Amino acid sequence: MLPATFKLCAGISYRHTRNMTGLRKNAMVAINHELNRLAGPGPSNWISQVRRRSSLLSSRITEEEGYNEEEMSYLKQGEDALQKAISILSEQDGWTIETVAANGDKVLSKVLPDIGKVFKLEVMLEQHPDNLYKELVGNMEQMGEWNPNVKQVKILQKIGQDTMVTHEMSAETPGNVVGPRDFVSVRCAKRRGSTCFLAGMSTEHAKMPEQRGVVRAENGPTCIVMKPCAEDPNKTKFTWLLSIDLKGWIPKTIINKVLSQTQVDFANHLRQRMANNVSMEMAHAC
């Protein structure tokens, strides 16, 4: 199946075949089939196979009538972020432990060429992936309500069902060690079987130029992966890849400490948010 898929992708990359609707649709079907296989049974099936198949996420297969040039650019950026992030996560070697919390939450890091230092949070959450996906994607703009490290998240533009451009304002760190930053990001949300992906990277948008007095930081590729636990499908193996450039003159030792702690804090705040959601649902049911 894989060689045939590559042929279809190659075919739609040529100008004289781009308008062949049948060929493009066949490529889409073939690619979706391969992605579904990535999220198939087995606790690490997607990550063990994705390195050979990551190029199948090429944005050329997402071309559909109705998108203008700007929208197509955002679609491509989102798919590129997802492809790069999964490629990084598929490499199991070279990670160094930054911190391990008492509850087992773990942050690791590694230095990558052309990207720099990236961080990876690995936790187990006692929530079904669907509930987490709904909170992190469906309720994205509410993140400032439960995550004190975030002041605001605003969706600037939606492109199709899977891609959006957002503006995020971060809060100051305790003691104002790192002042407030803002980010403009393209985000790509995908679901393949029971596995959920939320990838992103920095971009530009006409509605949100750089703000005076606020440092415009950059991120990406980043990606959150939510996969049901093999032993208990109502629990989620939650992985968050974080790559970020805070800009400004901040010592690397401080940056490393702030980013790893931010990931640990995020997991705890997310747990509390989900617990509060359950309590509210129970209260409404009474």
Side-chain angles (χ1 to χ4, degrees):
M1 179 64 188
L2 193 56
T5 304
F6 275 112
K7 289 179 180 178
L8 285 170
C9 291
I12 62 173
S13 69
Y14 290 101
R15 185 179 301 275
H16 68 280
T17 59
R18 284 182 185 171
N19 294 325
M20 295 175 64
T21 304
L23 179 60
R24 186 169 64 248
K25 288 184 176 180
N26 288 340
M28 290 287 289
V29 171
I31 292 300
N32 282 323
H33 176 72
E34 290 297 322
L35 289 176
N36 289 333
R37 291 179 60 187
L38 295 184
S44 60
N45 188 55
W46 70 272
I47 212 163
S48 65
Q49 299 183 49
V50 73
R51 183 164 25 194
R52 290 173 295 169
R53 293 173 166 84
S54 61
S55 62
L56 300 180
L57 289 169
S58 169
S59 65
R60 287 171 178 165
I61 66 170
T62 67
E63 288 187 320
E64 294 180 9
E65 296 178 4
Y67 292 128
N68 60 36
E69 184 176 349
E70 180 187 62
E71 291 168 335
M72 285 300 303
S73 175
Y74 287 133
L75 289 172
K76 181 182 186 305
Q77 292 174 52
E79 294 285 5
D80 285 349
L82 181 58
Q83 176 182 339
K84 292 176 182 177
I86 293 181
S87 180
I88 294 170
L89 290 172
S90 70
E91 294 289 346
Q92 298 298 298
D93 298 330
W95 293 93
T96 300
I97 295 177
E98 290 281 338
T99 183
V100 180
N103 62 359
D105 291 358
K106 184 189 305 181
V107 177
L108 305 97
S109 68
K110 71 189 303 185
V111 178
L112 300 173
D114 302 324
I115 295 179
K117 194 164 189 176
V118 298
F119 296 82
K120 179 174 66 169
L121 172 72
E122 294 182 340
V123 303
M124 188 67 69
L125 299 176
E126 296 192 8
Q127 292 284 335
H128 193 279
D130 287 349
N131 297 334
L132 294 168
Y133 186 87
K134 179 181 178 180
E135 182 63 46
L136 295 177
V137 179
N139 299 332
M140 184 180 295
E141 291 188 318
Q142 299 177 20
M143 186 176 293
E145 299 176 5
W146 55 269
N147 186 352
N149 292 320
V150 175
K151 280 187 176 181
Q152 182 185 39
V153 177
K154 180 178 178 59
I155 298 174
L156 302 176
Q157 182 178 354
K158 287 187 176 181
I159 306 98
Q161 296 184 347
D162 302 330
T163 306
M164 65 192 76
V165 181
T166 64
H167 177 247
E168 309 98 45
M169 280 287 298
S170 69
E172 297 177 357
T173 60
N176 198 25
V177 175
V178 178
R181 261 59 175 170
D182 78 336
F183 305 82
V184 175
S185 308
V186 58
R187 299 176 184 247
C188 177
K190 298 284 188 180
R191 301 187 65 163
R192 289 295 177 265
S194 57
T195 302
C196 306
F197 303 87
L198 177 59
M201 65 186 299
S202 286
T203 190
E204 297 180 353
H205 197 279
K207 290 184 179 179
M208 193 56 63
E210 292 192 25
Q211 307 295 298
R212 186 171 183 176
V214 179
V215 178
R216 175 64 52 87
E218 296 182 356
N219 66 82
T222 66
C223 188
I224 288 175
V225 182
M226 294 165 281
K227 185 175 179 65
C229 173
E231 293 77 21
D232 185 350
N234 288 316
K235 295 182 179 181
T236 299
K237 181 181 178 183
F238 188 98
T239 304
W240 176 21
L241 175 71
L242 177 63
S243 171
I244 192 169
D245 183 356
L246 293 174
K247 303 297 183 179
W249 298 95
I250 307 173
K252 289 185 178 181
T253 53
I254 293 179
I255 292 176
N256 294 343
K257 183 176 181 180
V258 167
L259 294 182
S260 58
Q261 187 61 49
T262 295
Q263 288 192 294
V264 171
D265 291 344
F266 177 85
N268 291 329
H269 296 317
L270 181 57
R271 285 189 178 98
Q272 186 61 51
R273 171 68 167 188
M274 302 307 295
N276 291 342
N277 288 348
V278 171
S279 297
M280 290 180 61
E281 289 175 0
M282 293 178 64
H284 290 155
C286 293

